[in-house]
Amino acid sequence: MNQNKINVMTPKFASDFVCVGSKCEAHCCNSWDIPINKQSYKALKKFGDIEIRQLVTSNFKLTRQSESNYAEIKMSDNGDCAMLDETNLCKIHKKCGPKLLPYTCQDYPRKPHWFGNQAEMSMSLSCPEVVKNVLYDPDAMMITSIEQYEHQLNHGNIGGFKPTEGPSYLPLVRDFCFSVALNSILTFEQKLFIIGLYLKQSDAYLNNLERLSQLADSFHSMISDGTLTKHYETLPSTPSIKWSFFATQDFHLVTTQYQTQTVSFSKIKKFDAFIECQQMLMNSLHTSQDTDTQGKDNYFTVANPEREHFKYTEILTSSEKYLTEHFNQHPQILINFLLYSLYNDQLMVNLGKKPYDYFKFLTIDALMLKSYLSGIALQQKGLTKEWVVKLFHSYFRRRQHNLGLFNQINTNIKKAEEQSEYLIFSLLKD
Ligand code: SF4
């Protein structure tokens, strides 16, 4: 066992986290693949309580892939874990305590990543309690350093690059992005624009730290003298392109989920908060004749990239007042979202992406979230914390369980860049 002690940078949103268990609106384990390690499997198999032994016999499938993946829990048709009781409490947790839970369940929603010699503790936005902490606590991103044994941190399952393996440019480039995110004069869209432009220009110098640092200095000067905000103002507004990006992505976000699961819409609806949020926008679009997912049982509306960008643009405009009102009441929401993303995603370098690619994914996320928030705000005549949390956790849960989405986004971006390599920036413009 690794007895190394490491520094773990821990933001307040993570140290404040408390799982609300049966009161949770999300059932975090729904539709997961949950591997069981050999030790837990053997202990549960001969546990004193007969109900647990029976549950293991009828709901655990042996895989024997490795010590950590020795068996799997079979999910029911609607994606629920078979171990949940009628009040949605986990029976293993209730009767056997947390130590016998699969590591996945013990660790979620924690997501530590290496960053140099230290680890950065983060948490997944697919958990609603994490969303509340990240978006609604003005101090969410205050970080303290905690010393911890490496093997105790998510059972040693730490993501990102191991110490000394990460790209040397990452701290410098990310620090520049943080400094822009923290600038109190710039709007959210201007911040994204400046970060994107810097990441685009830094692409050619990722192996030259001195040049990267000079580039950051020159960007800071251009922020101070207003050059970059003037540049932002000259960006064209491209509503039809925006709609095309949104609609293509929406179609994919919705339909891939149903093509990979054989559950009826009535059952899906029970837990699918994302569809509830997405349908708010679809209702505002009045897309009754639009493309629907295949099969009568799974009938619901998705966006059609070929139509309706006028209506979509109108919705974005008319909901602006509701979004502004909510963001004025909670001025930390957008800045925390940006800081969290930069911190948590580490510019996606561990996924083999270049920093500029990361900017494009972040821009599409911002577009999708803003669009859905607009639909919700119009239907509800305002935004509430409950709806914002519902949208964010369900959107990120959908993203997390659908890695094919990244390929889809990539394809869309490449197609757009055939028209103009700067087209992605126009998505930031109203
Ligand atoms: S989603 Fe979060 S709050 Fe809900 S049960 Fe899972 S860990 Fe707990």
Side-chain angles (χ1 to χ4, degrees):
M1 190 175 289
N2 192 335
Q3 291 297 338
N4 280 349
K5 271 197 163 178
I6 52 174
N7 278 333
V8 185
M9 308 310 280
T10 309
K12 187 165 179 288
F13 73 78
S15 50
D16 281 358
F17 171 76
V18 180
C19 169
V20 295
S22 63
K23 293 200 195 86
C24 180
E25 62 219 68
H27 309 277
C28 55
C29 50
N30 188 287
S31 71
W32 278 5
D33 294 327
I34 305 182
I36 320 276
N37 61 74
K38 189 174 178 179
Q39 206 187 351
S40 298
Y41 176 79
K42 299 258 177 205
L44 290 167
K45 221 18 204 158
K46 46 183 190 216
F47 194 73
D49 185 296
I50 186 161
E51 190 193 3
I52 293 292
R53 291 203 305 274
Q54 278 171 350
L55 279 168
V56 170
T57 307
S58 47
N59 295 298
F60 281 26
K61 192 172 72 187
L62 274 172
T63 58
R64 293 200 180 93
Q65 278 180 30
S66 63
E67 289 282 316
S68 58
N69 186 341
Y70 194 74
E72 265 174 20
I73 301 181
K74 292 184 222 157
M75 295 289 158
S76 57
D77 275 357
N78 67 2
D80 277 348
C81 175
M83 297 295 145
L84 293 180
D85 69 10
E86 55 296 337
T87 60
N88 290 321
L89 274 178
C90 169
K91 290 178 188 166
I92 299 182
H93 191 279
K94 207 159 79 173
K95 295 197 170 183
C96 319
K99 290 253 164 68
L100 287 189
L101 283 174
Y103 290 163
T104 310
C105 307
Q106 285 188 46
D107 296 338
Y108 179 84
R110 295 164 193 83
K111 284 202 316 179
H113 295 113
W114 285 110
F115 196 79
N117 288 327
Q118 60 194 18
E120 293 184 338
M121 176 51 83
S122 190
M123 296 203 148
S124 171
L125 283 185
S126 56
C127 164
E129 294 306 305
V130 176
V131 176
K132 283 177 201 166
N133 285 0
V134 170
L135 299 187
Y136 287 92
D137 178 357
D139 297 327
M141 296 305 299
M142 301 282 283
I143 292 180
T144 46
S145 174
I146 296 171
E147 224 185 33
Q148 212 171 328
Y149 284 111
E150 187 180 324
H151 72 268
Q152 285 177 343
L153 197 60
N154 271 32
H155 299 90
N157 182 13
I158 307 174
F161 284 105
K162 295 233 155 66
T164 73
E165 286 178 5
S168 54
Y169 65 77
L170 183 57
L172 195 156
V173 171
R174 195 176 66 158
D175 277 353
F176 171 80
C177 298
F178 278 141
S179 67
V180 176
L182 286 164
N183 185 306
S184 55
I185 308 293
L186 301 167
T187 65
F188 178 72
E189 286 77 12
Q190 287 170 339
K191 288 174 188 180
L192 273 183
F193 169 71
I194 292 168
I195 287 172
L197 208 56
Y198 173 77
L199 295 181
K200 181 167 174 49
Q201 293 190 14
S202 68
D203 235 14
Y205 309 112
L206 291 177
N207 293 323
N208 185 341
L209 294 189
E210 198 183 328
R211 187 72 189 86
L212 278 181
S213 176
Q214 287 165 358
L215 190 63
D217 290 343
S218 104
F219 264 68
H220 281 306
S221 308
M222 288 192 287
I223 293 171
S224 302
D225 69 14
T227 307
L228 289 175
T229 41
K230 275 190 208 131
H231 197 152
Y232 172 79
E233 292 313 319
T234 63
L235 278 178
S237 177
T238 53
S240 60
I241 303 284
K242 208 182 245 192
W243 166 248
S244 166
F245 261 102
F246 168 78
T248 311
Q249 201 58 22
D250 175 75
F251 182 84
H252 201 75
L253 268 167
V254 172
T255 56
T256 46
Q257 179 83 7
Y258 295 108
Q259 281 162 10
T260 54
Q261 291 191 11
T262 52
V263 283
S264 69
F265 183 47
S266 53
K267 284 186 179 165
I268 290 166
K269 216 176 164 187
K270 183 171 107 185
F271 61 79
D272 202 331
F274 173 71
I275 291 296
E276 212 183 320
C277 298
Q278 186 262 0
Q279 290 294 293
M280 289 276 175
L281 179 57
M282 295 304 118
N283 290 343
S284 299
L285 283 166
H286 298 301
T287 51
S288 57
Q289 294 164 37
D290 264 342
T291 318
D292 57 82
T293 53
Q294 290 160 13
K296 267 190 176 165
D297 195 25
N298 278 353
Y299 189 88
F300 48 83
T301 320
V302 293
N304 182 342
E306 305 302 320
R307 296 177 35 196
E308 292 186 324
H309 82 262
F310 294 114
K311 184 77 184 165
Y312 169 74
T313 308
E314 208 178 289
I315 288 169
L316 293 187
T317 309
S318 51
S319 60
E320 191 67 43
K321 61 176 185 291
Y322 297 125
L323 269 57
T324 307
E325 192 184 4
H326 193 72
F327 294 149
N328 283 345
Q329 273 168 18
H330 307 280
Q332 78 286 341
I333 290 183
L334 293 176
I335 181 170
N336 280 9
F337 173 63
L338 188 50
L339 287 172
Y340 165 88
S341 302
L342 295 165
Y343 172 81
N344 175 74
D345 301 340
Q346 297 191 343
L347 308 183
M348 283 184 176
V349 290
N350 60 332
L351 297 179
K353 305 287 175 207
K354 284 189 153 187
Y356 181 49
D357 290 329
Y358 173 64
F359 159 73
K360 297 174 198 172
F361 291 128
L362 188 58
T363 301
I364 305 283
D365 273 343
L367 172 72
M368 301 306 291
L369 289 164
K370 186 177 176 191
S371 304
Y372 293 129
L373 283 179
S374 300
I376 293 167
L378 268 196
Q379 293 286 311
Q380 301 290 318
K381 308 259 178 296
L383 270 185
T384 60
K385 179 176 172 181
E386 287 66 34
W387 275 105
V388 174
V389 170
K390 188 179 280 203
L391 173 66
F392 271 71
H393 89 75
S394 63
Y395 176 82
F396 283 100
R397 170 192 277 233
R398 187 63 59 116
R399 276 255 271 88
Q400 178 176 300
H401 289 282
N402 192 343
L403 293 177
L405 273 176
F406 285 120
N407 298 334
Q408 178 65 35
I409 297 176
N410 249 337
T411 311
N412 294 348
I413 292 170
K414 280 206 180 107
K415 235 169 44 199
E417 285 180 333
E418 281 167 15
Q419 289 179 52
S420 157
E421 60 175 320
Y422 285 93
L423 200 68
I424 192 82
F425 288 96
S426 69
L427 299 183
L428 299 170
K429 210 59 197 297
D430 285 335

